[in-house]
Amino acid sequence: MKKMQKKDSKSLIVYLLVLGISVIYILGGHQLAMTNYHAFDDDDQSIVVKATVLEITDRYSESYQISETEIAENETILFKAKIRSGAQKGQVIEAAQTLDYFTAINLHAVEPGDKVLLYTVPGGMAENQWLLSDYQRSDQILVLLVIFLILLLLFGRWQGFHTIVSLTLTCLAVFYVFIPAVLAGENIYSWSIATCIYMTLMTLFIVNGVNRKSIAAVLGCLAGVLVAGLLTVLMDHTMTLTGVLDENSVILYNLRGENPLNLRAIIFGAIIIGAVGAIMDVSISIAAALAELKEKLPHIGFKELLHSGMNISRDIMGTMSNTLILAYIGGFMSSVLLMVAYNSSMLDLFNREMIVVECLQALVGSLGILLTLPFTSLICAVLFHGDGKGNDGEEAEGYSRAEALLDIAEDEVKSKLEEGNEE
């Protein structure tokens, strides 16, 4: 009992230590990233607020002569809305929505009760100062997020709570540290690597504790991420990438004026940060399976652990590679459809930088997963094989799986007999 309490106290201390280091990393990293960060400041920037539509006050149409036979018609809807955010919260204002003929797909016409986003440009037109920006959709996302978190707690209990903590810290590491560092013009390569290392250590140590299983998973994951990073750098040089994927890349490039962002480095960061989650998943899967095997068969040796790890890896690699590739395909499906529709040459299509980079992300991530599996199996075999009754000697190596299973069966039979005698 005392031994158990001592172990729990030690685990709690380690857990709090990891949390403390995480807080220091996030706050310190954000402060460092913001040193050279200059937010885009524009006096004419739009002010966006949340509002609820109260009533429709008017509708009118305007016609435009496009050609001798075609007339375009734009419709304007005037409505009253109550502002639900910002300095003017609670005020009822007049706003307008324009259904533009020249826009292929317009927003749905507003109705009373709709939750919308309104914007105004300081110094803009006097009439219809507030205009409809979009419908507010974040509430539905928040509902799904709450359901997800509740289910994590119900099914995972304390493990689910640890998962929520790690997810929160991961999001902070990306959006509160990494992205400001990129926009500040910091070295994207080093910040990408630091972010991956932090997320790997923090996630595995918080969710699984600091033990040999977690250490094996961390080492295997970092090995896979290292391979993915080296492959990305190699392919970047051999394929002479520019980093310009679409018009957004051009805007991003010119964001800092005389010190433009390194678009090729952004591709590097996107690839390894995008792959680290899947690589972490397979590394902990292998480490957990081999740790459980070692617990059930304490005399299992190095060769058998490695052999078992490779057998488990073969079952994992197919589905995980498919998962990563399908995730990337789904992410740029619209772009692929558009390019295929307007491009009859497959040779030209598969040499477009946008398509090449997406393929590079999928293949490099899959290669990282593929090589993580044997790395993790080997690391687990090294770390686990020496803690059985036979230590590193001949008894542990020569102890067959059949003998170990017989011992377990005998122990179970003895426990059943003892229970029967007590009854």
Side-chain angles (χ1 to χ4, degrees), residues 63-79:
S63 300
Y64 301 92
Q65 188 79 33
I66 297 178
S67 64
E68 294 181 358
T69 59
E70 189 175 5
I71 298 176
E73 187 174 84
N74 294 343
E75 183 181 10
T76 300
I77 303 174
L78 301 179
F79 59 92

Side-chain angles (χ1 to χ4, degrees), residues 180-306:
V182 172
L183 294 177
E186 300 290 340
N187 189 301
I188 300 175
Y189 291 102
S190 59
W191 278 94
S192 300
I193 294 169
T195 302
C196 286
I197 293 173
Y198 165 74
M199 290 192 299
T200 301
L201 293 170
M202 178 273 299
T203 301
L204 293 174
F205 287 161
I206 284 182
V207 174
N208 299 286
V210 181
N211 47 51
R212 277 185 293 182
K213 177 176 69 176
S214 297
I215 292 171
V218 165
L219 295 176
C221 179
L222 294 180
V225 172
L226 176 63
V227 169
L230 291 175
L231 284 173
T232 303
V233 172
L234 176 64
M235 299 307 291
D236 176 27
H237 287 288
T238 57
M239 293 192 298
T240 60
L241 298 177
T242 64
V244 179
L245 308 181
D246 50 28
E247 62 274 9
N248 293 329
S249 300
V250 178
I251 296 172
L252 194 60
Y253 180 79
N254 295 317
L255 194 62
R256 288 180 52 82
E258 296 180 358
N259 299 308
L261 295 177
N262 188 340
L263 298 181
R264 293 163 64 185
I266 292 175
I267 291 176
F268 172 85
I271 290 176
I272 66 167
I273 291 177
V276 70
I279 293 174
M280 197 188 311
D281 186 20
V282 298
S283 65
I284 192 60
S285 296
I286 293 294
L290 294 183
E292 184 70 14
L293 180 63
K294 180 62 179 179
E295 184 179 348
K296 299 300 182 185
L297 304 174
H299 290 83
I300 191 169
F302 173 85
K303 291 182 179 178
E304 287 185 323
L305 274 172
L306 181 59

